[in-house]
Amino acid sequence: MSHATGFRWCRLTLRLAVYARDGWRCLACGCRLRWRKGRGKWIDRRPEAASLDHVVPRTQGGSHAAENLITLCVGCNSERRDRPIGEWRPELVDAVAIAVSTPVDRRLGVELVRQLDPAFLARRSVRSGTRPAEVPF
């Protein structure tokens, strides 16, 4: 089974909405996350860079649904690999449960994209044939 790598497996609007839900902080170490647009793609590989992680890893049947995504810095995400949260850092189980039970505001994700990369929605609308306001989540 092949999986998309990097940032392409998740829509930018959902990614930013999850980061916002989690307060733009790594749920594991608590560091304030940095976010930058690089080389025309949303990419940043510094240890303090924002990344999404699956609560139930994809290798164990986890989905890309918002309820299965948490915000970790790249360093913590790399450290965790595909271990269960409880095995990796048992003290995080409650914080992760609270985070994933909090609804993600997808409209906020769209608004963040408009603020951070206004051309992104325009590019999406040209490819999909929709107006920017109708870009699906």
Side-chain angles (χ1 to χ4, degrees), residues 44-76:
D44 191 347
R45 289 188 164 67
R46 295 171 295 156
E48 70 277 10
S51 72
L52 289 182
D53 193 26
H54 296 86
V55 176
V56 177
R58 294 282 295 154
T59 58
Q60 298 170 14
S63 73
H64 291 319
E67 300 78 26
N68 191 44
L69 298 174
I70 56 172
T71 303
L72 292 181
C73 65
V74 169
C76 288

Side-chain angles (χ1 to χ4, degrees), residues 3 10 16 26 29 54 75 80 111 123 128 130:
H3 298 288
C10 178
L16 294 177
C26 174
C29 70
H54 296 86
R80 179 181 171 216
E111 184 56 35
R123 288 191 307 272
S128 66
T130 63

Side-chain angles (χ1 to χ4, degrees), residues 3-16 19 24 33-38 40-46 48-54 64 69 71-74 77 120 124:
H3 298 288
T5 60
F7 280 49
R8 293 185 173 203
W9 59 266
C10 178
R11 290 182 186 267
L12 182 58
T13 52
L14 175 60
R15 178 177 296 280
L16 294 177
Y19 292 159
W24 293 86
L33 297 170
R34 311 224 177 191
W35 181 258
R36 73 174 184 194
K37 182 182 166 197
K41 298 176 184 165
W42 289 90
I43 225 165
D44 191 347
R45 289 188 164 67
R46 295 171 295 156
E48 70 277 10
S51 72
L52 289 182
D53 193 26
H54 296 86
H64 291 319
L69 298 174
T71 303
L72 292 181
C73 65
V74 169
N77 197 343
F120 177 82
R124 295 280 307 175

Side-chain angles (χ1 to χ4, degrees), residues 106-123:
R106 292 172 183 257
R107 293 197 189 284
L108 174 61
V110 172
E111 184 56 35
L112 288 169
V113 169
R114 282 193 182 115
Q115 292 174 17
L116 297 171
D117 188 5
F120 177 82
L121 290 178
R123 288 191 307 272

Side-chain angles (χ1 to χ4, degrees), residues 61-97:
S63 73
H64 291 319
E67 300 78 26
N68 191 44
L69 298 174
I70 56 172
T71 303
L72 292 181
C73 65
V74 169
C76 288
N77 197 343
S78 296
E79 180 186 313
R80 179 181 171 216
R81 296 186 306 266
D82 66 348
R83 290 181 284 179
I85 299 274
E87 179 184 311
W88 175 57
R89 293 212 181 149
E91 70 277 9
L92 293 180
V93 171
D94 291 340
V96 168

